[in-house]
Every structure is written in structure tokens, then in C-alpha cells.
Short mmCIF file of all heavy atoms in Angstrom, two decimals:
data_model
loop_
_atom_site.label_atom_id
_atom_site.label_comp_id
_atom_site.label_asym_id
_atom_site.label_seq_id
_atom_site.Cartn_x
_atom_site.Cartn_y
_atom_site.Cartn_z
N ILE A 250 105.99 27.47 168.67
CA ILE A 250 105.07 27.92 167.63
C ILE A 250 104.39 26.71 167.01
O ILE A 250 105.05 25.71 166.69
CB ILE A 250 105.81 28.72 166.54
CG1 ILE A 250 106.42 30.00 167.14
CG2 ILE A 250 104.88 29.06 165.37
CD1 ILE A 250 105.41 31.00 167.66
N LEU A 251 103.08 26.80 166.83
CA LEU A 251 102.30 25.73 166.21
C LEU A 251 101.74 26.17 164.88
O LEU A 251 101.39 27.33 164.69
CB LEU A 251 101.14 25.33 167.12
CG LEU A 251 101.48 24.78 168.51
CD1 LEU A 251 100.19 24.54 169.29
CD2 LEU A 251 102.29 23.50 168.41
N ILE A 252 101.65 25.23 163.95
CA ILE A 252 100.90 25.42 162.71
C ILE A 252 99.85 24.32 162.64
O ILE A 252 100.07 23.21 163.14
CB ILE A 252 101.81 25.40 161.47
CG1 ILE A 252 102.61 24.09 161.37
CG2 ILE A 252 102.76 26.60 161.50
CD1 ILE A 252 103.44 23.98 160.09
N GLU A 253 98.71 24.64 162.03
CA GLU A 253 97.60 23.69 162.04
C GLU A 253 96.98 23.54 160.66
O GLU A 253 96.49 24.51 160.09
CB GLU A 253 96.52 24.16 163.01
CG GLU A 253 95.31 23.22 163.05
CD GLU A 253 94.16 23.78 163.88
OE1 GLU A 253 94.11 25.00 164.12
OE2 GLU A 253 93.28 22.98 164.27
N PRO A 254 96.95 22.33 160.13
CA PRO A 254 96.17 22.08 158.91
C PRO A 254 94.68 22.20 159.22
O PRO A 254 94.19 21.62 160.19
CB PRO A 254 96.55 20.64 158.53
CG PRO A 254 97.82 20.36 159.28
CD PRO A 254 97.72 21.14 160.55
N ILE A 255 93.96 22.94 158.38
CA ILE A 255 92.53 23.17 158.57
C ILE A 255 91.78 22.71 157.32
O ILE A 255 92.22 22.99 156.20
CB ILE A 255 92.25 24.66 158.85
CG1 ILE A 255 92.93 25.06 160.18
CG2 ILE A 255 90.75 24.94 158.91
CD1 ILE A 255 92.79 26.52 160.53
N ASN A 256 90.67 22.04 157.51
CA ASN A 256 89.98 21.46 156.36
C ASN A 256 89.33 22.55 155.49
O ASN A 256 88.85 23.57 156.00
CB ASN A 256 88.96 20.42 156.82
CG ASN A 256 87.65 21.02 157.29
OD1 ASN A 256 86.82 21.43 156.48
ND2 ASN A 256 87.46 21.10 158.61
N PRO A 257 89.31 22.34 154.17
CA PRO A 257 88.78 23.36 153.25
C PRO A 257 87.27 23.46 153.23
O PRO A 257 86.73 24.39 152.63
CB PRO A 257 89.32 22.92 151.89
CG PRO A 257 89.50 21.44 152.01
CD PRO A 257 89.92 21.20 153.44
N ARG A 258 86.57 22.54 153.88
CA ARG A 258 85.12 22.66 153.97
C ARG A 258 84.75 23.76 154.96
O ARG A 258 83.87 24.59 154.69
CB ARG A 258 84.51 21.32 154.39
CG ARG A 258 82.97 21.34 154.39
CD ARG A 258 82.42 19.98 154.78
NE ARG A 258 82.61 19.68 156.19
CZ ARG A 258 82.58 18.47 156.71
NH1 ARG A 258 82.44 17.41 155.92
NH2 ARG A 258 82.74 18.28 158.01
N ASP A 259 85.40 23.76 156.10
CA ASP A 259 85.13 24.78 157.11
C ASP A 259 85.78 26.11 156.76
O ASP A 259 85.25 27.17 157.11
CB ASP A 259 85.64 24.33 158.48
CG ASP A 259 84.75 23.30 159.13
OD1 ASP A 259 83.86 22.76 158.46
OD2 ASP A 259 84.96 23.00 160.33
N MET A 260 86.93 26.07 156.12
CA MET A 260 87.67 27.29 155.83
C MET A 260 88.21 27.22 154.39
O MET A 260 89.39 26.98 154.15
CB MET A 260 88.81 27.48 156.84
CG MET A 260 89.33 28.89 156.95
SD MET A 260 90.51 29.09 158.32
CE MET A 260 89.41 28.99 159.75
N PRO A 261 87.34 27.45 153.40
CA PRO A 261 87.76 27.36 152.00
C PRO A 261 88.91 28.33 151.70
O PRO A 261 88.88 29.49 152.12
CB PRO A 261 86.50 27.75 151.23
CG PRO A 261 85.37 27.50 152.17
CD PRO A 261 85.91 27.78 153.54
N GLY A 262 89.91 27.82 151.00
CA GLY A 262 91.02 28.66 150.60
C GLY A 262 92.15 28.75 151.61
O GLY A 262 93.16 29.42 151.34
N TYR A 263 92.00 28.07 152.76
CA TYR A 263 93.08 28.13 153.75
C TYR A 263 94.32 27.46 153.18
O TYR A 263 94.26 26.41 152.52
CB TYR A 263 92.65 27.45 155.05
CG TYR A 263 93.58 27.73 156.20
CD1 TYR A 263 93.59 28.99 156.81
CD2 TYR A 263 94.47 26.78 156.68
CE1 TYR A 263 94.44 29.28 157.86
CE2 TYR A 263 95.32 27.05 157.73
CZ TYR A 263 95.31 28.30 158.32
OH TYR A 263 96.16 28.58 159.36
N PHE A 264 95.48 28.05 153.46
CA PHE A 264 96.71 27.64 152.79
C PHE A 264 97.17 26.24 153.16
O PHE A 264 97.72 25.52 152.34
CB PHE A 264 97.82 28.65 153.09
CG PHE A 264 99.12 28.30 152.44
CD1 PHE A 264 99.30 28.49 151.08
CD2 PHE A 264 100.16 27.76 153.18
CE1 PHE A 264 100.50 28.15 150.45
CE2 PHE A 264 101.36 27.42 152.58
CZ PHE A 264 101.53 27.62 151.20
N LEU A 265 96.96 25.84 154.41
CA LEU A 265 97.51 24.58 154.92
C LEU A 265 96.37 23.63 155.27
O LEU A 265 95.56 23.93 156.15
CB LEU A 265 98.37 24.85 156.15
CG LEU A 265 99.12 23.65 156.76
CD1 LEU A 265 100.16 23.13 155.78
CD2 LEU A 265 99.76 24.06 158.08
N ASN A 266 96.31 22.47 154.60
CA ASN A 266 95.21 21.54 154.78
C ASN A 266 95.61 20.16 155.29
O ASN A 266 94.79 19.46 155.88
CB ASN A 266 94.44 21.33 153.47
CG ASN A 266 93.94 22.61 152.85
OD1 ASN A 266 94.15 22.86 151.68
ND2 ASN A 266 93.27 23.44 153.63
N ARG A 267 96.84 19.75 155.04
CA ARG A 267 97.23 18.36 155.29
C ARG A 267 98.32 18.24 156.34
O ARG A 267 99.24 19.07 156.42
CB ARG A 267 97.73 17.71 153.99
CG ARG A 267 96.67 17.57 152.92
CD ARG A 267 97.25 16.80 151.71
NE ARG A 267 97.77 15.50 152.10
CZ ARG A 267 97.02 14.39 152.16
NH1 ARG A 267 95.73 14.44 151.85
NH2 ARG A 267 97.57 13.25 152.51
N GLN A 268 98.23 17.17 157.13
CA GLN A 268 99.23 16.92 158.15
C GLN A 268 100.62 16.67 157.55
O GLN A 268 101.63 17.16 158.07
CB GLN A 268 98.81 15.71 159.00
CG GLN A 268 97.58 15.94 159.86
CD GLN A 268 97.81 16.89 161.00
OE1 GLN A 268 98.91 16.93 161.58
NE2 GLN A 268 96.79 17.66 161.35
N ASP A 269 100.70 15.91 156.47
CA ASP A 269 102.01 15.62 155.89
C ASP A 269 102.67 16.89 155.35
O ASP A 269 103.89 17.06 155.47
CB ASP A 269 101.93 14.53 154.82
CG ASP A 269 100.90 14.79 153.74
OD1 ASP A 269 100.24 15.86 153.75
OD2 ASP A 269 100.72 13.90 152.88
N ASP A 270 101.88 17.80 154.80
CA ASP A 270 102.44 19.06 154.32
C ASP A 270 102.94 19.90 155.49
O ASP A 270 104.02 20.51 155.42
CB ASP A 270 101.38 19.83 153.52
CG ASP A 270 101.98 20.98 152.73
OD1 ASP A 270 103.20 20.96 152.46
OD2 ASP A 270 101.22 21.91 152.38
N ALA A 271 102.18 19.92 156.57
CA ALA A 271 102.60 20.68 157.76
C ALA A 271 103.91 20.12 158.32
O ALA A 271 104.81 20.88 158.70
CB ALA A 271 101.51 20.62 158.82
N GLN A 272 104.03 18.80 158.34
CA GLN A 272 105.26 18.21 158.85
C GLN A 272 106.45 18.50 157.92
O GLN A 272 107.57 18.71 158.41
CB GLN A 272 105.08 16.70 159.03
CG GLN A 272 104.12 16.30 160.14
CD GLN A 272 104.62 16.64 161.52
OE1 GLN A 272 105.81 16.85 161.73
NE2 GLN A 272 103.71 16.71 162.48
N ALA A 273 106.20 18.53 156.62
CA ALA A 273 107.27 18.87 155.68
C ALA A 273 107.74 20.31 155.89
O ALA A 273 108.94 20.60 155.81
CB ALA A 273 106.79 18.67 154.24
N ILE A 274 106.81 21.21 156.15
CA ILE A 274 107.17 22.60 156.42
C ILE A 274 107.97 22.70 157.72
O ILE A 274 108.99 23.40 157.79
CB ILE A 274 105.89 23.47 156.48
CG1 ILE A 274 105.32 23.64 155.07
CG2 ILE A 274 106.15 24.82 157.13
CD1 ILE A 274 103.94 24.21 155.02
N ARG A 275 107.53 21.99 158.73
CA ARG A 275 108.26 21.97 160.00
C ARG A 275 109.69 21.49 159.80
O ARG A 275 110.66 22.09 160.31
CB ARG A 275 107.54 21.07 161.00
CG ARG A 275 108.18 20.99 162.37
CD ARG A 275 107.52 19.93 163.24
NE ARG A 275 107.74 18.58 162.73
CZ ARG A 275 108.86 17.87 162.95
NH1 ARG A 275 109.86 18.39 163.66
NH2 ARG A 275 108.98 16.65 162.47
N GLN A 276 109.84 20.42 159.05
CA GLN A 276 111.17 19.86 158.82
C GLN A 276 112.04 20.79 157.97
O GLN A 276 113.25 20.89 158.19
CB GLN A 276 111.04 18.49 158.18
CG GLN A 276 110.44 17.45 159.12
CD GLN A 276 110.06 16.15 158.41
OE1 GLN A 276 110.32 15.98 157.23
NE2 GLN A 276 109.43 15.24 159.15
N ALA A 277 111.41 21.48 157.01
CA ALA A 277 112.18 22.40 156.16
C ALA A 277 112.75 23.55 156.97
O ALA A 277 113.86 24.02 156.70
CB ALA A 277 111.28 22.93 155.04
N ILE A 278 112.01 24.02 157.96
CA ILE A 278 112.50 25.12 158.79
C ILE A 278 113.51 24.62 159.81
O ILE A 278 114.53 25.27 160.08
CB ILE A 278 111.31 25.82 159.48
CG1 ILE A 278 110.45 26.52 158.41
CG2 ILE A 278 111.78 26.83 160.53
CD1 ILE A 278 109.15 27.06 158.90
N GLY A 279 113.24 23.47 160.38
CA GLY A 279 114.23 22.82 161.25
C GLY A 279 114.35 23.40 162.64
O GLY A 279 115.35 23.14 163.33
N ALA A 280 113.36 24.16 163.09
CA ALA A 280 113.40 24.72 164.44
C ALA A 280 112.78 23.74 165.42
O ALA A 280 111.67 23.23 165.19
CB ALA A 280 112.65 26.05 164.48
N SER A 281 113.46 23.49 166.51
CA SER A 281 112.95 22.51 167.48
C SER A 281 111.68 22.98 168.18
O SER A 281 110.93 22.16 168.72
CB SER A 281 114.02 22.21 168.53
OG SER A 281 114.37 23.38 169.25
N ASN A 282 111.42 24.28 168.17
CA ASN A 282 110.22 24.83 168.82
C ASN A 282 109.14 25.18 167.81
O ASN A 282 108.28 26.03 168.07
CB ASN A 282 110.57 26.05 169.68
CG ASN A 282 111.01 27.24 168.84
OD1 ASN A 282 111.70 27.08 167.84
ND2 ASN A 282 110.60 28.44 169.25
N LEU A 283 109.16 24.53 166.66
CA LEU A 283 108.06 24.61 165.69
C LEU A 283 107.43 23.23 165.58
O LEU A 283 108.08 22.25 165.22
CB LEU A 283 108.58 25.05 164.32
CG LEU A 283 107.53 25.12 163.20
CD1 LEU A 283 106.48 26.18 163.50
CD2 LEU A 283 108.19 25.38 161.85
N LYS A 284 106.14 23.14 165.92
CA LYS A 284 105.44 21.86 165.93
C LYS A 284 104.11 22.00 165.19
O LYS A 284 103.67 23.09 164.85
CB LYS A 284 105.17 21.40 167.37
CG LYS A 284 106.42 21.18 168.22
CD LYS A 284 107.14 19.90 167.87
CE LYS A 284 108.26 19.61 168.85
NZ LYS A 284 108.94 18.32 168.54
N VAL A 285 103.47 20.86 164.99
CA VAL A 285 102.19 20.81 164.28
C VAL A 285 101.07 20.55 165.28
O VAL A 285 101.18 19.69 166.16
CB VAL A 285 102.20 19.72 163.19
CG1 VAL A 285 100.82 19.60 162.53
CG2 VAL A 285 103.27 20.03 162.15
N GLN A 286 100.00 21.29 165.13
CA GLN A 286 98.79 21.13 165.92
C GLN A 286 97.92 20.07 165.22
O GLN A 286 97.48 20.27 164.10
CB GLN A 286 98.06 22.47 166.00
CG GLN A 286 96.92 22.52 166.97
CD GLN A 286 96.54 23.97 167.26
OE1 GLN A 286 97.37 24.76 167.69
NE2 GLN A 286 95.29 24.33 167.01
N PHE A 287 97.69 18.97 165.92
CA PHE A 287 96.96 17.84 165.33
C PHE A 287 95.51 17.92 165.77
O PHE A 287 95.15 17.50 166.87
CB PHE A 287 97.60 16.51 165.77
CG PHE A 287 97.09 15.31 165.03
CD1 PHE A 287 97.77 14.82 163.94
CD2 PHE A 287 95.94 14.66 165.44
CE1 PHE A 287 97.32 13.70 163.25
CE2 PHE A 287 95.47 13.54 164.77
CZ PHE A 287 96.16 13.06 163.66
N ASP A 288 94.67 18.47 164.91
CA ASP A 288 93.24 18.54 165.17
C ASP A 288 92.59 17.32 164.52
O ASP A 288 92.55 17.21 163.29
CB ASP A 288 92.68 19.84 164.61
CG ASP A 288 91.23 20.08 165.03
OD1 ASP A 288 90.41 19.15 164.87
OD2 ASP A 288 90.92 21.18 165.49
N CYS A 289 92.09 16.41 165.34
CA CYS A 289 91.53 15.16 164.83
C CYS A 289 90.35 15.42 163.89
O CYS A 289 90.16 14.68 162.91
CB CYS A 289 91.08 14.28 165.98
SG CYS A 289 92.40 13.79 167.11
N TYR A 290 89.57 16.44 164.18
CA TYR A 290 88.41 16.79 163.35
C TYR A 290 88.86 17.15 161.94
O TYR A 290 88.37 16.60 160.95
CB TYR A 290 87.67 17.95 164.02
CG TYR A 290 86.63 18.63 163.18
CD1 TYR A 290 85.36 18.08 163.00
CD2 TYR A 290 86.90 19.86 162.59
CE1 TYR A 290 84.41 18.73 162.23
CE2 TYR A 290 85.95 20.52 161.83
CZ TYR A 290 84.70 19.96 161.65
OH TYR A 290 83.75 20.60 160.90
N HIS A 291 89.81 18.06 161.82
CA HIS A 291 90.29 18.47 160.50
C HIS A 291 90.97 17.31 159.78
O HIS A 291 90.78 17.11 158.57
CB HIS A 291 91.26 19.64 160.63
CG HIS A 291 90.63 20.91 161.12
ND1 HIS A 291 89.53 21.47 160.52
CD2 HIS A 291 90.96 21.73 162.15
CE1 HIS A 291 89.20 22.59 161.17
NE2 HIS A 291 90.05 22.76 162.16
N CYS A 292 91.76 16.54 160.51
CA CYS A 292 92.48 15.42 159.90
C CYS A 292 91.52 14.39 159.33
O CYS A 292 91.72 13.89 158.21
CB CYS A 292 93.41 14.78 160.92
SG CYS A 292 94.40 13.42 160.26
N GLN A 293 90.48 14.07 160.08
CA GLN A 293 89.52 13.08 159.60
C GLN A 293 88.82 13.54 158.33
O GLN A 293 88.62 12.76 157.40
CB GLN A 293 88.50 12.77 160.69
CG GLN A 293 87.33 11.90 160.26
CD GLN A 293 87.73 10.46 159.94
OE1 GLN A 293 88.88 10.08 160.12
NE2 GLN A 293 86.79 9.67 159.46
N ILE A 294 88.47 14.81 158.26
CA ILE A 294 87.76 15.32 157.09
C ILE A 294 88.66 15.33 155.86
O ILE A 294 88.24 14.97 154.75
CB ILE A 294 87.21 16.73 157.38
CG1 ILE A 294 86.08 16.65 158.42
CG2 ILE A 294 86.71 17.41 156.11
CD1 ILE A 294 85.62 17.99 158.93
N VAL A 295 89.91 15.71 156.03
CA VAL A 295 90.81 15.86 154.88
C VAL A 295 91.48 14.54 154.50
O VAL A 295 91.58 14.20 153.32
CB VAL A 295 91.89 16.92 155.17
CG1 VAL A 295 92.89 17.02 154.01
CG2 VAL A 295 91.25 18.28 155.41
#
């Protein structure tokens, strides 16, 4: 399962925006098959 931070310019109000927050969520759940989708476009903007 992947989760992806998305920038608020393209998708205002989206719950997850930052890579560090996504990684914290992944670590809090602790499942080895939960990873973060690294979109360079969104990361650069945010």
C-alpha cells in the first residue's frame, strides 16, 4: 500500500502534503508493506 503527499496548489485541502508527515504515518503503523510514493513534482512544490 502506498500513500502520497500531494501539494495544496494542485489539490487544495488534501490531507497529506509533506514527505516527513507521510513517513511518520508509515512508521506509526509499522507495516512493512506500507510505503510512501515519492512524487518529485509535489515534493519540490511543497
Side-chain angles (χ1 to χ4, degrees):
I250 297 296
L251 298 176
I252 57 175
E253 179 188 19
I255 297 177
N256 81 77
R258 185 178 72 200
D259 284 11
M260 201 172 288
Y263 193 73
F264 180 74
L265 184 65
N266 305 130
R267 295 185 57 87
Q268 293 290 326
D269 52 4
D270 193 22
Q272 292 293 340
I274 288 168
R275 181 188 66 82
Q276 292 169 5
I278 293 171
S281 61
N282 68 322
L283 177 65
K284 299 285 188 178
V285 175
Q286 190 164 304
F287 190 95
D288 189 310
C289 299
Y290 168 79
H291 294 306
C292 182
Q293 172 68 5
I294 291 171
V295 176

